[in-house]
Amino acid sequence: MKRNIVIATVAAAALIGGGTVAAYAVGGDDSAPAQRQSSVRVADDDRDDAAEDKAEDKADDRNDDDRTAVTGTRVTAADAIAAALQHTPGTAVSADLDDDGSHAWEVNVVKGDGTDYDVRVSADDGKVLGAQRDDDDDNDGREDLAALKGASVDAAEAARAASAKGTVTDVDLDDDGPAAWSVDTTKGEWKVDLKTGKVTQDQDHDDRDGDDD
């Protein structure tokens, strides 16, 4: 009789609490204590995983546009620079792979008199799409030529050197401090020495990114 009362009580508790409870009696002795085993369902908390994923995504954000831009690109930065210089002779001071869907390189070429030309080169077949003089400020072109005076490594060579660090998406002359080529790749930002061609990680760029967060 006592065993039936225990089972009935446990069953009622299970219905009220919504949990899963198993009860059984040991042996046939009504005086034996009923043993109960409860099973508790623990809800999965996905917030920690979401936080980790967010941190990883943030680390990759600065390269997302670069990865999109290089999808299907057949013409390298060095090849685009060579094509631009063949069309518009001068000194290439930058090359940027547009991420606006046009799938073209924009190469900035400075002539000996300091005039700037923006030469667009197809990233698919290397054909020159057009060239336009930049009349904003010829002094910029002269300053770039002055910074490159005595340099042994040009923009195309810098691009080839940095390509070991990922697909190059941008080459630019950085004259904030000791002049060097600043190269962006799908794996980070790099400095290329104007005289030795040595590639090092752009710590200054990383510090600026950290300050912006």
Side-chain angles (χ1 to χ4, degrees):
M1 182 64 180
K2 291 181 180 179
R3 182 175 60 186
N4 293 336
I5 293 174
V6 170
I7 294 174
T9 302
V10 172
L15 291 174
I16 295 172
T20 302
V21 180
Y24 58 91
V26 179
D29 188 356
D30 289 344
S31 63
Q35 298 182 13
R36 292 178 297 173
Q37 180 179 0
S38 62
S39 175
V40 180
R41 177 178 296 176
V42 179
D44 291 334
D45 187 357
D46 293 334
R47 287 177 295 180
D48 290 341
D49 291 340
E52 293 178 2
D53 292 341
K54 184 177 180 180
E56 292 176 358
D57 291 342
K58 185 177 180 181
D60 292 336
D61 277 348
R62 67 182 182 183
N63 292 325
D64 284 346
D65 290 340
D66 290 344
R67 294 190 183 98
T68 301
V70 300
T71 302
T73 299
R74 299 178 181 177
V75 178
T76 66
D79 292 338
I81 292 170
L85 291 177
Q86 185 174 4
H87 180 274
T88 306
T91 300
V93 296
S94 70
D96 177 52
L97 181 60
D98 288 343
D99 56 5
D100 59 2
S102 61
H103 224 231
W105 288 95
E106 184 170 307
V107 183
N108 183 219
V109 177
V110 180
K111 289 183 172 292
D113 60 359
T115 55
D116 274 325
Y117 286 84
D118 292 326
V119 184
R120 292 180 62 80
V121 179
S122 170
D124 295 320
D125 55 20
K127 291 182 179 180
V128 174
L129 303 175
Q132 183 176 358
R133 178 173 172 173
D134 185 358
D135 295 324
D136 289 343
D137 191 352
D138 287 342
N139 287 330
D140 289 344
R142 295 188 183 94
E143 290 174 0
D144 289 338
L145 292 179
L148 288 171
K149 187 176 181 180
S152 304
V153 179
D154 61 22
E157 291 169 334
R160 280 191 288 269
S163 64
K165 305 295 186 179
T167 302
V168 176
T169 59
D170 182 86
V171 182
D172 195 10
L173 180 61
D174 184 3
D175 55 5
D176 293 336
W181 292 109
S182 177
V183 184
D184 291 354
T185 76
T186 51
K187 295 183 179 180
E189 292 78 32
W190 312 90
K191 293 271 193 172
V192 180
D193 190 276
L194 292 178
K195 293 186 177 181
T196 66
K198 182 179 179 180
V199 180
T200 56
Q201 191 166 14
D202 188 351
Q203 299 292 343
D204 292 338
H205 193 291
D206 290 342
D207 291 342
R208 290 194 296 270
D209 286 346
D211 293 339
D212 292 339
D213 291 341

